[in-house]
Amino acid sequence: MQKLTSYAAGSWHEGTGEGAPIHDPHTGEAIATVDSTGLDFQAVLDHAHEVGGPALRAMTFGERAALLKALSAAIHEHREELIEISIKNAGSTRGDAKFDIDGATGTLAAYAHFGKSLGDATFLNDGEMEQLGRTKRFAGRHISVPRLGAALHINAFNFPAWGMCEKLACSILAGVPVIEKPGTPTALPAWRTAEIIVNSGVLPEGAYQFICGSTGDLLDRLGMQDCMAFTGSASTGAYLKGNENLVKNNVRVNIEADSLNAAVLGPEVDPDSETYALFLRNVALDMTQKTGQKCTATRRILVPAERVEEVKADLVAELGRTKVGDPSDRDNRMGPLSSPRQFEDVKDGIAKLQEVCDTACGGPEALFETGCYVAATLLVAKDPRAAIIHAEEVFGPVSTILAYDGSAEEAVELVTMGCGGLVTSAYSNDNDWTEAYVLGVAPWHGRVWLANERSAEQSLPPGMVLPQMVHGGPGRAGGGEELGGLRGLDFYMQRTAVQGFGGLLKDAFAPKEAAETGA
Ligand code: NAP
């Protein structure tokens, strides 16, 4: 069986332990093992600090942007191969695999574009110069410089390529070397992507290392200039954030955790309108795309009480059109859950929700004799305030309809019972209702997505995370923030207020014009 290796301190290492098996979720067969036993984690950290960091910091933003452009092209060259690997290990359909891989290359390309605009600069300016003295002779301005540490990136299993590359794009552009640790269940596509990155020779040595398996005692070794960006469940995020060494050294931590994202149907949306059609399409897409294993997928669907039966029937019909089965068959639109562990978790989660919900379609039963398949499951809450509906993220093709009275106030009250989300979507043509909803939910959300008749035809679905817009959310969503164009670099840089002679600040620390860098 294939043993997946780690790329550490300039070479590939095979673990010396037995390794944890990973599976083909279509058949349930083990296909490879993951093991980092025997790795010297101090050597990994030293290599990033002493080799990768200095090499990256010697470059301008424009030069680092050119690296990202080249990486995007190198990964794209292997697109077909990566799609096949993702089908095999993540149970992704072709469409789901493309969503992950094109998301990865697209985000790298986007950051190459953002970085090109910074040209020859080696630090960033933040805002204008401020007069601090009686005259302009004494002034101040803010600059941001790359931090001198390494970035440990711990990623979830559900986006093995995108999750790795969206963090990498911001970190490398900021000038900070990466130590990547992928989620184990889908380590094969992550490992092959890592191999492509290393073999491409695009990044300077030490700028990228890859740990396949446990991070051992690495968290206990991170220092004051290092950072850790985590994506995964709220419980793992909270546990890691509490690591004594991270707390003691004030290691920067960004947590991207789970979220009970809600879609809300406004009270006046006509059943024959494009807004209503989009609502049905987007909810069904969120439930079935990547078999519901998307942190941004809709878990709660708020519907005016008098329309629950109509929406339920329409969604059941929409979900019925999704063919489920072998992800390598191009006709199928939904594959299995990504791993046997996921399969067990999702079946348990559906059964728990059923205690407080009626089942419109689907259920916790295995769909086929072999493989990690469940049906798309639509539930209807008996009581929309039942606590478990707002607390239990069932990470699969599962969503629950909640009746509300149609007012923006009640919608806000129910949605914010989720205690913090990545994204919420609202479908309404009433501007007053929409404004009240947005202002009510915004303190609890990283992103609010709106549909109305005027934009419906051009909109991209709410579950799609875009490099231009911030991603993350408060409360149980982790309290973190990623992406958002150049905002995504903030986490990897130190903002410093420089105060002194105005003439010096004006000349030496003036914003640089973008230059041609080839990015
Ligand atoms: P998970 O079980 O929390 O694991 C996340 C990552 O943490 C994995 O790489 C895991 O490695 C690692 N990990 C676990 N314990 C660790 C420890 N003690 N030390 C170091 N690393 C440790 O989550 P998951 O099952 O992979 O992903 C699903 C969850 O992620 C869902 O809840 C989903 O909502 C969330 N998610 C959030 C976002 C977002 O952007 N907010 C995006 C995607 C997914 P192993 O796999 O080796 O255990």
Side-chain angles (χ1 to χ4, degrees), residues 315-518:
L315 275 176
V316 168
E318 190 86 26
L319 292 168
R321 286 190 272 278
T322 303
K323 250 187 108 187
V324 185
D326 183 350
S328 66
D329 180 338
R330 287 179 187 236
D331 283 346
N332 289 329
R333 288 287 167 271
M334 185 170 105
L337 290 155
S338 289
S339 68
R341 189 193 81 185
Q342 267 295 106
F343 187 42
E344 294 310 318
D345 284 355
V346 168
K347 286 189 294 181
D348 284 355
I350 295 174
K352 273 195 214 161
L353 290 179
Q354 278 180 323
E355 288 172 20
V356 295
C357 296
D358 296 320
T359 306
C361 65
E365 301 76 25
L367 205 52
F368 305 125
E369 266 177 32
T370 55
C372 305
Y373 291 91
V374 290
T377 299
L378 183 67
L379 303 165
V380 182
K382 292 176 189 155
D383 170 6
R385 284 177 176 73
I388 190 173
I389 297 167
H390 304 281
E392 178 88 9
E393 183 206 41
V394 182
F395 204 54
V398 184
S399 201
T400 303
I401 295 177
L402 282 70
Y404 81 110
D405 67 8
S407 70
E409 291 69 28
E410 194 176 53
V412 170
E413 185 205 331
L414 287 168
V415 169
T416 56
M417 282 178 76
C419 291
L422 296 171
V423 58
T424 176
S425 49
Y427 298 76
S428 172
N429 298 307
D430 177 337
N431 287 355
D432 291 338
W433 185 97
T434 304
E435 192 181 321
Y437 180 71
V438 171
L439 296 179
V441 293
W444 283 104
H445 288 83
R447 191 156 59 87
V448 182
W449 183 102
L450 304 172
N452 73 13
E453 216 57 12
R454 305 284 300 277
S455 64
E457 180 245 337
Q458 287 191 28
S459 66
L460 299 167
M464 190 181 269
V465 173
L466 298 167
Q468 300 91 328
M469 309 307 288
V470 292
H471 173 60
R476 77 167 286 157
E481 189 177 287
E482 290 183 331
L483 300 173
L486 291 174
R487 295 175 190 86
L489 274 60
D490 285 351
F491 179 66
Y492 302 98
M493 304 189 79
Q494 178 62 41
R495 182 166 28 233
T496 305
V498 186
Q499 296 170 214
F501 173 49
L504 171 74
L505 297 194
K506 189 162 171 267
D507 293 341
F509 300 108
K512 292 262 191 313
E513 293 297 315
E516 279 306 312
T517 60

Side-chain angles (χ1 to χ4, degrees), residues 219 240-251 253:
L219 268 73
L240 297 183
K241 195 178 180 175
N243 172 285
E244 207 182 315
N245 175 58
L246 301 190
V247 174
K248 189 182 83 193
N249 278 329
N250 288 315
V251 173
V253 172

Side-chain angles (χ1 to χ4, degrees), residues 106-314:
T107 305
L108 288 167
Y111 272 88
H113 178 71
F114 302 147
K116 185 180 177 186
S117 71
L118 301 172
D120 287 342
T122 52
F123 62 88
L124 296 179
N125 292 98
D126 177 0
E128 299 298 316
M129 234 169 76
E130 305 275 351
Q131 179 177 327
L132 300 177
R134 198 164 27 86
T135 70
K136 287 185 182 162
R137 205 172 275 224
F138 188 70
R141 76 182 320 156
H142 292 90
I143 62 167
S144 290
V145 295
R147 287 162 61 92
L148 304 179
L152 171 60
H153 292 165
I154 299 181
N155 272 306
F157 75 84
N158 60 332
F159 281 102
W162 176 81
M164 169 156 58
C165 291
E166 57 99 18
K167 285 187 173 61
L168 180 150
C170 293
S171 191
I172 294 291
L173 185 58
V176 176
V178 170
I179 302 169
E180 163 70 25
K181 184 254 179 289
T184 292
T186 58
L188 190 54
W191 175 83
R192 181 62 187 128
T193 308
E195 197 180 46
I196 292 164
I197 291 174
V198 172
N199 290 350
S200 73
V202 166
L203 293 178
E205 183 45 52
Y208 176 80
Q209 298 179 82
F210 179 80
I211 296 173
C212 207
S214 163
T215 50
D217 60 2
L218 184 52
L219 268 73
D220 303 328
R221 297 177 178 278
L222 296 182
M224 294 174 187
Q225 288 279 318
D226 297 320
C227 62
M228 179 185 81
F230 166 87
T231 294
S233 61
S235 55
T236 310
Y239 169 74
L240 297 183
K241 195 178 180 175
N243 172 285
E244 207 182 315
N245 175 58
L246 301 190
V247 174
K248 189 182 83 193
N249 278 329
N250 288 315
V251 173
R252 269 196 193 171
V253 172
N254 191 72
I255 305 282
E256 295 295 331
D258 55 63
S259 166
L260 289 143
N261 311 294
V264 185
L265 181 66
E268 40 39 73
V269 177
D270 191 319
D272 296 323
S273 66
E274 181 52 26
T275 308
Y276 183 65
L278 184 66
F279 163 78
L280 295 176
R281 277 202 306 277
N282 280 344
V283 171
L285 177 72
D286 261 356
M287 289 179 67
T288 54
Q289 188 174 46
K290 294 197 88 334
T291 319
Q293 300 163 113
K294 254 182 0 194
C295 55
T296 51
T298 297
R299 306 287 172 205
R300 299 173 296 159
I301 311 160
L302 270 67
V303 176
E306 66 280 8
R307 295 186 64 181
V308 165
E309 285 307 312
E310 169 202 346
V311 169
K312 183 175 90 175
D314 288 344

